Amino acid sequence: MRKINKLLVANRGEIALRVMRTAREMGIKTVAVYSEADRNALHVRYADEAVCIGPAASSESYLRGDKIIDVCKKLGVDAIHPGYGFLSENAKFSQMVKDAGLIFVGPSAESIEIMGDKLSAKRAAAKYNIPMVPGTPDAVTDRAEAKVIAGQIGYPVLIKASAGGGGKGMRIVENEAEFDEQMERAVSEAISAFGDGAVFVEKYVASPRHIEIQVLGDQHGNTIYLFERECSVQRRHQKVVEEAPSSCLTPEIREAMGKCAVDVARSCGYYGAGTVEFIVDDKLNFYFLEMNTRLQVEHPVTEMITGVDLVRQMIYIAEGQELQLKQENLEINGHAMEIRVYAEDPTNNFLPDVGNLKTYVRPQGNGVRVDDGFEQGMDIPIYYDPMIAKLITHAATRQESIDKMVRAIDEYEITGVQTTLAFCRFVMLHEAFTSGNFDTHFVKYYFTPEILKKEADQEEIEVAAALVAYLMNQTKQPTSATTMAPVATKSKWKTNRVK
């Protein structure tokens, strides 16, 4: 066992801060690395030491594993936590860290490599008879061959980049007539995004729900699951709203999925924190999708319902300690919601809207958690993911957690950029979501930009009417030191979105 005394966090923003806070609680010194664009970032100021490693472009800074390791050697760092994104699922970087005599707070390079390719991941999981969506066992690049396979599987089918993620290189094909065009697009996107045109073809599951299982494994063969997260509300195949537990799983299905997730982890000798993703159909049949070999963006909802600090556990595991958590002692406590607050415009196809945070006031109160990396007056850089924060609520029941989330959204004050707050509020109040009867097509079925535009227009009318009434009332009575301005009784989230 090797004790970690100094930890470098090879990331930025809210996840860098989140890791550093746990490290500080554990008495571990922290080192931040940053690009020139992040010179004044909160994670830079929070760390015990900070080093600039390059220009704003991530390819010249946060993705430069060689520079990061050089910093470790110069500052006497023991270990590196990669956060998520950037180098977190890079097998080559994991091996570089190990070869440099450092501890990688994450899985082995071998595990990352196996699970980093969807096809090799499926081959590994198949050894444990994990349920799979019908599809190709190997990568396909020949269009004619793929077309024949698609006909055998039966339309609709899904063409998916083997090395993909985030919806890139993914195409739904409804019938044979459109196969060639969609195959060409999928391969082109895969080459552009990942440098690999290999794809696989699988049966497209109608009305799918995206449910993932959090796992923890140590280096002594012990592996547990910490229940599920529902991640079905997405835009452009990327998550916006997450919750734990899912509203659709029975205890029996939850246990079956959990055991399958543990088997997937064991299939590649996994240790650290990881997430096994499943797709669930309308009859609650579940199928293995992939494994994310890192800490997930949405990990806070799992922490809220289990009381387990996942980063702390990752550090213990990286040091070589055995898991002290036992499966039989874990239980679900209440319900947690998480929304991702992006600097995006929901009325304009969720396009990024970066700029200056003229106003930035976080919501507070019982059961409210905000993980962010910004403060008022800061600029949101154009070079990175436009997520401002993660807003998490926790309560005894699902409905109470939703109610708390709506309240927190109403109290979140952000001006200067458009955000996804209005959209997330719309989700929280929609009958399909509150009833639990929704799937990954939520945005497609229920949301249009006009909905928010109409609500914003109505809010402006009401605000103007209230102002006129107030001014008229002021002309009818003498002013005095005790005259009070009208108190806002409605949410400010619509007016907050105005630049």
Side-chain angles (χ1 to χ4, degrees):
M1 193 181 82
R2 291 174 60 189
K3 177 69 175 172
I4 296 174
N5 296 302
K6 184 181 283 192
L7 177 70
L8 182 145
V9 183
N11 218 295
R12 63 180 297 277
E14 61 87 14
I15 189 59
L17 277 168
R18 189 264 166 274
V19 172
M20 289 176 187
R21 286 182 173 123
T22 287
R24 180 168 290 186
E25 292 170 10
M26 299 174 71
I28 298 172
K29 296 292 184 181
T30 58
V31 176
V33 290
Y34 62 94
S35 71
E36 292 173 1
D38 280 337
R39 187 171 297 277
N40 297 314
L42 295 186
H43 78 280
V44 176
R45 286 182 268 160
Y46 187 88
D48 295 297
E49 298 175 86
V51 179
C52 182
I53 54 171
S58 57
S59 61
E60 299 181 58
S61 53
Y62 295 108
L63 291 175
R64 288 292 302 271
D66 55 339
K67 289 186 177 181
I68 291 170
I69 290 176
D70 284 344
V71 171
C72 292
K73 292 178 178 178
K74 291 176 181 177
L75 298 184
V77 169
D78 303 305
I80 296 175
H81 194 301
Y84 55 72
F86 294 134
L87 295 168
S88 62
E89 293 182 283
N90 188 306
K92 182 179 178 181
F93 179 65
S94 174
Q95 190 61 49
M96 285 173 60
V97 173
K98 181 179 179 180
D99 292 344
L102 303 169
I103 299 171
F104 184 72
V105 185
S108 67
E110 292 77 13
S111 294
I112 295 174
E113 189 167 9
I114 291 171
M115 289 298 158
D117 181 277
K118 291 181 175 62
L119 293 173
S120 66
K122 286 191 173 187
R123 284 193 292 270
K127 300 173 185 176
Y128 286 82
N129 296 317
I130 308 298
M132 306 277 189
V133 177
T136 56
D138 296 299
V140 179
T141 54
D142 182 78
R143 186 183 305 172
E145 179 188 357
K147 196 171 185 178
V148 171
I149 294 171
Q152 294 171 345
I153 295 172
Y155 291 93
V157 297
L158 188 66
I159 300 174
K160 227 172 177 181
S162 176
K168 296 181 178 66
M170 183 186 297
R171 293 284 169 173
I172 299 170
V173 186
E174 299 289 351
N175 52 63
E176 185 177 352
E178 62 182 51
F179 185 89
D180 290 340
E181 179 184 359
Q182 298 296 353
M183 174 76 175
E184 185 175 343
R185 289 183 177 181
V187 171
S188 176
E189 286 181 7
I191 293 173
S192 176
F194 313 110
D196 183 354
V199 300
F200 61 90
V201 181
E202 65 182 25
K203 180 69 179 176
Y204 177 68
V205 178
S207 303
R209 296 181 75 130
H210 187 135
I211 296 178
E212 58 191 32
I213 306 291
Q214 176 71 58
V215 296
L216 282 174
D218 63 22
Q219 299 182 55
H220 305 276
N222 303 303
T223 309
I224 60 173
Y225 68 92
L226 290 87
F227 313 112
E228 80 279 3
R229 296 186 287 259
E230 170 88 53
C231 309
S232 296
V233 179
Q234 306 175 0
R235 77 330 180 207
R236 299 195 301 272
H237 300 289
Q238 294 179 320
K239 306 161 191 172
V240 189
V241 176
E242 298 103 352
E243 62 179 303
S246 169
S247 61
C248 74
L249 297 192
T250 64
E252 293 76 21
I253 296 176
R254 175 175 294 117
E255 182 178 4
M257 290 180 74
K259 289 180 177 178
C260 282
V262 167
D263 284 341
V264 170
R266 287 173 175 161
S267 75
C268 65
Y270 195 88
Y271 55 81
T275 296
V276 181
E277 300 197 355
F278 296 90
I279 192 168
V280 180
D281 67 18
D282 54 0
K283 295 181 178 60
L284 297 184
N285 298 305
F286 62 88
Y287 307 97
F288 170 66
L289 278 181
E290 61 182 334
M291 183 177 191
N292 293 309
T293 55
R294 55 172 166 76
L295 193 66
Q296 291 280 86
V297 176
E298 58 273 18
H299 76 273
V301 291
T302 296
E303 294 184 325
M304 300 300 270
I305 67 165
T306 61
V308 175
D309 183 331
L310 292 174
V311 172
R312 180 181 288 265
Q313 294 301 318
M314 291 180 76
I315 292 173
Y316 286 153
I317 291 167
E319 289 180 330
Q321 297 189 43
E322 284 195 54
L323 272 176
Q324 298 302 305
L325 301 171
K326 304 296 181 184
Q327 191 68 60
E328 59 270 20
N329 296 331
L330 292 172
E331 59 182 26
I332 296 173
N333 175 29
H335 203 100
M337 292 280 166
E338 175 179 303
I339 66 168
R340 302 190 190 186
V341 185
Y342 284 102
E344 295 178 347
D345 186 357
T347 66
N348 189 23
N349 197 32
F350 293 94
L351 290 178
D353 188 56
V354 297
N356 181 266
L357 292 172
K358 296 178 181 178
T359 306
Y360 187 73
V361 181
R362 304 171 184 86
Q364 301 181 49
N366 179 45
V368 175
R369 168 177 167 178
V370 179
D371 284 17
D372 63 10
F374 292 94
E375 62 186 6
Q376 188 165 294
M378 289 182 66
D379 291 324
I380 300 172
I382 63 173
Y383 309 99
Y384 317 114
D385 185 274
M387 189 170 71
I388 300 171
K390 301 181 308 197
L391 174 59
I392 307 104
T393 59
H394 181 239
T397 67
R398 184 172 188 267
Q399 187 57 54
E400 288 177 15
S401 188
I402 291 173
D403 295 341
K404 198 180 290 287
M405 179 61 76
V406 173
R407 187 268 292 174
I409 290 173
D410 289 348
E411 291 180 2
Y412 216 144
E413 295 188 35
I414 301 177
T415 63
V417 297
Q418 306 283 358
T419 75
T420 49
L421 281 173
F423 168 75
C424 293
R425 191 179 195 276
F426 165 80
V427 173
M428 291 294 135
L429 296 176
H430 197 282
E431 189 274 336
F433 185 78
T434 57
S435 67
N437 185 26
F438 63 96
D439 55 40
T440 56
H441 299 308
F442 181 93
V443 171
K444 175 183 175 182
Y445 291 158
Y446 304 117
F447 178 73
T448 62
E450 287 69 31
I451 292 173
L452 296 187
K453 290 177 181 177
K454 288 178 181 178
E455 291 183 352
D457 291 342
Q458 181 61 33
E459 177 75 5
E460 289 175 7
I461 292 171
E462 292 175 3
V463 170
L467 180 60
V468 170
Y470 171 67
L471 293 175
M472 290 179 66
N473 184 57
Q474 288 296 92
T475 62
K476 294 178 182 178
Q477 56 183 328
T479 58
S480 71
T482 58
T483 301
M484 300 291 290
V487 177
T489 58
K490 296 195 66 176
S491 161
K492 293 181 180 179
W493 66 266
K494 297 187 187 75
T495 53
N496 287 342
R497 63 186 292 276
V498 178
K499 289 186 178 181

